[in-house]
Amino acid sequence: HEMKAALDAAPDSAMIQRSLAQCYKRFGDLEKARYHYEKSLELLPGDSDSHNELGLLLANGGRYEEAVSHYQAALQITPENPLILLNLAYATIALGDFPGVVKICKKNLEIRYYQPEVHYQLGMTYSRQGKLHEAVSAFRTAIRYKQDYWQAHQDLGAVLAMQGEFEEAVSHLRKALELKPGRLDTLMNLAYAKMALGDPKESAEIYRKVLELKQDYPEAYYRLGTAYAIQGKYPEAVSAFRTAIRLQAGYWQAYNDLADALLSLSHFDEALEAATKATVLMPSHPMLYLTLAECYAEKNKDKQAIKALEAAVQKGFSDAGVLREDPHLKRFQGHPEFEKLFDLIGISQKKS
């Protein structure tokens, strides 16, 4: 009310228009906030703070291109403002212009190198470009300048896991959880790293913790099922895979791994049903046809098994050793149609 009275008394005051915009923004009335920022800029076009604040307002509403235009207008007025460059970089990340982000960040670091958040932005951008070595370096620099930077610990852990550096990944992911407990993405990455280190038991414990925090999380159930299956806990694996499928009807990976778990329990009819569903959902994936062949083999449906194996090879399966050692396919050894598959694999490998 005081602001409106001040505006009535001085309708041409850019400062009051901006202050009123800030009030509306605090109270969540973003349209009125935008209106008063724009009125402020009509009265004082050279106000870089109003351009920056309006850019933030627009970015928070997902209007990144408009936000960028206001950040750029602000930088025309104050070209070496680190905060505006930081905001511009975030909007540019959202637009997917990663080379542009790198350019903005490097310019910002030339102004002031000691900016952990800018190094973090660089790390995020490099990781999205697949430049993992550069991402690791940037995240490490961010942590060096801000040791309790949980986002940098989390993302560094994720990138290290992608590089196969699982021990160090676990260290950073645990640090991220210490600083920011209960983060689902951090817990998921930690569970994945522990699985890769050969600890499916702890991995399963972490996935169960994730599911305590979010009960309707199909990927967590799927990964939990995988951790149970590796431990030989097939009934628990079946239950987890079925829950993943109930939550996400087209989850072909869960159908395939459900079939594997059911095979291990000698539930061949159910396994065949799940394997068939997987191939329907993802008909181009060669490994699904191997699972399907295993199910047919256990059902003594030899023609269907060979046909599924042929489909697997035609779709790109080329691991002759797996075929030779697969316990579900042992009785096919020496079978003419089975042996022909190795010729097909050899031809396929020569073509590639």
Side-chain angles (χ1 to χ4, degrees):
H1 293 297
E2 291 178 5
M3 277 292 172
K4 284 185 176 180
L7 184 61
D8 289 339
D12 295 332
S13 170
M15 182 180 71
I16 293 174
Q17 290 283 0
R18 180 180 163 211
S19 297
L20 194 56
Q22 291 168 337
C23 289
Y24 278 122
K25 183 179 177 181
R26 278 197 297 273
F27 288 112
D29 193 335
L30 303 186
E31 284 305 314
K32 285 185 179 178
R34 177 176 182 171
Y35 171 80
H36 287 286
Y37 275 127
E38 288 174 346
K39 292 299 288 184
S40 172
L41 287 166
E42 284 177 16
L43 295 165
L44 188 62
D47 183 3
S48 65
D49 289 335
S50 288
H51 277 296
N52 182 52
E53 291 173 21
L54 179 52
L56 284 169
L57 184 77
L58 291 163
N60 289 336
R63 302 169 77 162
Y64 299 110
E65 290 184 356
E66 293 175 76
V68 164
S69 70
H70 282 284
Y71 294 140
Q72 289 172 338
L75 289 166
Q76 289 291 320
I77 302 157
T78 54
E80 294 196 348
N81 187 311
L83 179 60
I84 299 171
L85 285 165
L86 185 78
N87 293 336
L88 175 60
Y90 276 125
T92 308
I93 289 171
L95 290 170
D97 179 9
F98 301 133
V101 178
V102 172
K103 188 175 179 180
I104 294 163
C105 289
K106 287 185 175 179
K107 180 179 178 180
N108 206 349
L109 292 173
E110 286 173 5
I111 297 166
R112 190 170 68 214
Y113 192 75
Y114 179 81
Q115 293 189 80
E117 195 167 358
V118 180
H119 289 286
Y120 174 70
Q121 286 181 324
L122 265 179
M124 278 199 305
T125 305
Y126 283 137
S127 67
R128 293 181 188 188
Q129 291 179 299
K131 297 179 178 180
L132 302 187
H133 179 77
E134 293 90 337
V136 165
S137 177
F139 287 137
R140 288 195 197 282
T141 304
I143 292 167
R144 186 165 71 247
Y145 291 139
K146 185 181 177 183
Q147 293 183 3
D148 63 349
Y149 203 156
W150 70 265
Q151 296 100 322
H153 281 290
Q154 173 185 264
D155 288 6
L156 176 56
V159 173
L160 287 168
M162 290 168 68
Q163 291 185 309
E165 301 290 340
F166 296 111
E167 290 282 2
E168 191 180 357
V170 165
S171 173
H172 284 284
L173 292 167
R174 290 198 192 282
K175 183 65 177 178
L177 287 167
E178 177 189 319
L179 295 165
K180 193 78 170 178
R183 286 281 307 188
L184 293 180
D185 47 357
T186 314
L187 287 165
M188 290 290 282
N189 285 329
L190 178 59
Y192 169 77
K194 291 301 294 183
M195 180 82 84
L197 287 169
D199 191 350
K201 184 177 179 181
E202 186 178 354
S203 181
E205 289 173 4
I206 298 166
Y207 287 130
R208 285 195 294 270
K209 183 174 182 180
V210 169
L211 290 166
E212 288 174 9
L213 297 168
K214 184 179 179 182
Q215 295 179 1
D216 57 344
Y217 197 167
E219 186 181 356
Y221 276 108
Y222 170 69
R223 292 195 190 184
L224 176 62
T226 302
Y228 280 140
I230 290 172
Q231 295 176 78
K233 296 181 176 181
Y234 297 113
E236 293 91 337
V238 166
S239 176
F241 291 137
R242 288 197 191 281
T243 305
I245 290 164
R246 178 173 57 79
L247 293 169
Q248 184 177 318
Y251 208 151
W252 60 269
Q253 299 97 324
Y255 274 108
N256 184 65
D257 288 10
L258 172 61
D260 274 333
L262 289 165
L263 277 172
S264 298
L265 292 170
S266 299
H267 295 176
F268 301 133
D269 289 335
E270 293 174 87
L272 179 57
E273 183 181 348
T276 302
K277 182 68 174 179
T279 61
V280 170
L281 290 168
M282 183 55 66
S284 63
H285 199 297
M287 288 302 296
L288 306 187
Y289 292 88
L290 177 62
T291 306
L292 183 62
E294 292 170 339
C295 295
Y296 278 129
E298 293 294 354
K299 292 276 293 174
N300 294 315
K301 295 186 175 182
D302 293 2
K303 287 183 179 178
Q304 292 94 325
I306 293 295
K307 187 175 179 181
L309 289 171
E310 288 172 350
V313 173
Q314 288 164 1
K315 293 174 189 294
F317 180 80
S318 60
D319 193 333
V322 167
L323 286 185
R324 286 291 184 202
E325 296 171 15
D326 191 318
H328 301 286
L329 305 176
K330 270 189 176 179
R331 63 189 181 79
F332 288 115
Q333 300 294 333
H335 188 291
E337 295 299 319
F338 184 75
E339 296 303 323
K340 281 182 184 178
L341 294 170
F342 297 94
D343 294 332
L344 289 174
I345 289 172
I347 293 168
S348 174
Q349 288 175 336
K350 284 177 183 178
K351 284 182 179 178
S352 61

